[in-house]
Amino acid sequence: MTSMRILITGGAGCLGSNLIEYWLPQGHEIFVIDNFATGKREVLPPIAGLTVVEGSIANAELVINCFEQFQPTHVIHSAAAYKNPHDWIEDTATNVLGTINVAQASLTHEVKRFVNFQTALCYGRPNQVPIPVNHPTAPFTSYGISKTAGESYLMHSGLPIVSLRLANICGPRLAIGPIPTFYKRLKAEQNCFCSDTVRDFIDMSDFLLLIDKVVSDSTVNGVFNVSTGEGYSIKDVFETVAQYLMITPPNVPIMPVGADDVPTVVLDPSQTEQMFGWKAQVSFPEIINRQLSWYDAHGVTDIYSHLVTPKS
C-alpha cells in the first residue's frame, strides 16, 4: 500500500489506537486530534511517525490549523461524544459541529478518502433483524441523534466517503460492555446479571482487514454495515466468559430491556461483503476468547500500548 498521511480524530480511543498500532509499523504518517474526554493519552506515547494534538474538533480554528500543518491524504473520523446521555450540547458540539469542521477541512485539502465510524444506534428500534443498511434511521438517544445528523452532513458533503455502521468491535483496550464486566465480576466472585438483549460482535482483526480495503479503494462510497451478521444474547456472552474462566456458570438473573435500550441489534453486512470482497472470519467463541486472553495479559484497561517504531 502507498504511504498515507492519516489524520485520525479520536485517536486515543479503542478503535483509533488499534488503527495507529496497525498502521504505524507500515510506515504511514499519523496525526491525532483528541480531547481525551474518553480516550487515554497513555496509549499515544511519543514515537516517530505520530503527532498528537490535544483539543476538540468542535474548535474550528484548531481543526483548520491541524489540517494545514499535516496536509492529510486520508481522514479517519473516530471522535465522538457519548459519555453523558444528558449532555445534548456536548454531543451536538462534537458529533455534529465537529464533524462539519472535519468535513469542510477535508474538502479544502482534497483528501483522497474519508472514513466515518457510525453507531448502530442510528437505526433506533429496528423493524427487521438483521438490520439492512437501507433500513430507516430512527435514533432516540442524544448520541444516536447527533451521530446520525453528523453522518447526514458527511453524506451531503461530496467527500469520497465511506461511513461504517459498526457492530461491537472486540480487541485490545476494550473496556466497556458486557465482556470486561463479566470478566472482572466473575474473577472477583461477584454477582452478575444479564439484560434480555441480543447483540452482534466482530473481532478487531476482521475490522482491520475491512479498513484496509476501504482506504485503498476510493471508488466505492456510501454507508455500510460492519458485522458478522450473527446475533448472540448477553447470556451467551456470560456463559462464554464463565467457560473461559473454567467456572460453572452460576444462575444469573435476566433483566428486562430498559426503556432506553434496544432488544436486538444485529447488522446485515451483505452489501459490505459484496462491495468490498470482505467477510468476517472469526467466530463468536473465538472473538470472546481472544478478548479475554488479552485481559489475562494486560488487565481490563484502556491505557496499554503496543506501539512500535515504524519502518523507515
Side-chain angles (χ1 to χ4, degrees):
M1 186 183 296
T2 304
S3 180
M4 298 181 290
R5 298 179 60 80
I6 309 165
L7 187 146
I8 303 179
T9 69
C14 180
L15 294 183
S17 61
N18 275 278
L19 285 170
I20 291 167
E21 290 177 351
Y22 181 64
W23 276 328
L24 263 188
Q26 300 177 33
H28 303 300
E29 293 283 325
I30 298 177
F31 189 106
V32 168
I33 305 173
D34 202 303
N35 64 1
F36 302 109
T38 50
K40 300 294 184 181
R41 67 182 71 243
E42 292 94 333
V43 306
L44 302 177
I47 189 169
L50 176 63
T51 302
V52 180
V53 169
E54 181 174 357
S56 172
I57 58 171
N59 182 338
E61 183 178 0
L62 179 141
V63 172
I64 291 170
N65 289 340
C66 288
F67 270 76
E68 289 180 348
Q69 174 186 339
F70 186 60
Q71 299 290 322
T73 58
H74 296 70
V75 171
I76 307 295
H77 184 36
S78 184
Y82 60 84
K83 69 177 182 178
N84 183 351
H86 304 294
D87 194 347
W88 298 0
I89 299 299
E90 174 58 29
D91 287 356
T92 301
T94 298
N95 302 339
V96 185
L97 295 178
T99 296
I100 290 171
N101 290 337
V102 176
Q104 290 181 334
S106 297
L107 286 167
T108 298
H109 290 271
E110 299 181 343
V111 300
K112 297 177 180 178
R113 179 53 117 191
F114 190 111
V115 182
N116 179 56
F117 295 158
Q118 171 66 307
T119 171
L121 292 174
C122 67
Y123 294 115
R125 298 180 178 91
N127 55 37
Q128 65 182 110
V129 178
I131 308 168
V133 74
N134 61 357
H135 186 287
T137 54
F140 60 90
T141 65
S142 177
Y143 175 48
I145 291 167
S146 56
K147 284 288 291 179
T148 302
E151 183 186 65
S152 296
Y153 277 106
L154 289 173
M155 303 317 294
H156 178 68
S157 68
L159 284 165
I161 182 172
V162 164
S163 186
L164 300 176
R165 295 173 174 176
L166 305 174
N168 295 279
I169 300 175
C170 301
R173 289 176 300 283
L174 177 69
I176 59 174
I179 305 172
T181 301
F182 292 150
Y183 178 84
K184 287 181 69 175
R185 295 189 69 84
L186 285 173
K187 283 178 71 71
E189 299 182 347
Q190 296 174 330
N191 293 331
C192 299
F193 71 88
C194 297
S195 61
D196 189 15
T197 55
V198 172
R199 295 292 185 264
D200 49 353
F201 300 86
I202 187 169
D203 192 72
M204 185 66 70
S205 63
D206 282 326
F207 172 71
L208 293 174
L209 289 175
L210 175 61
I211 287 291
D212 271 347
K213 292 178 178 292
V214 168
V215 299
S216 63
D217 183 0
S218 59
T219 64
V220 178
N221 298 300
V223 177
F224 297 91
N225 287 336
V226 181
S227 172
T228 62
E230 299 175 351
Y232 294 88
S233 70
I234 301 304
K235 190 169 188 290
D236 291 331
V237 176
F238 175 78
E239 291 176 345
T240 305
V241 175
Q243 182 179 16
Y244 177 90
L245 294 174
M246 293 183 287
I247 296 171
T248 300
N251 290 327
V252 59
I254 308 298
M255 306 300 290
V257 179
D260 60 348
D261 203 356
V262 182
T264 302
V265 180
V266 180
L267 304 178
D268 177 1
S270 56
Q271 185 170 330
T272 312
E273 293 170 353
Q274 178 182 355
M275 295 301 293
F276 290 102
W278 166 91
K279 186 177 179 63
Q281 300 296 318
V282 183
S283 68
F284 172 74
E286 182 63 18
I287 291 170
I288 305 299
N289 288 342
R290 288 184 183 187
Q291 185 68 65
L292 300 176
S293 177
W294 192 87
Y295 293 150
D296 283 345
H298 308 298
V300 179
T301 173
D302 54 0
I303 62 171
Y304 187 83
S305 177
H306 303 276
L307 289 181
V308 297
T309 302
K311 297 176 181 177
S312 58

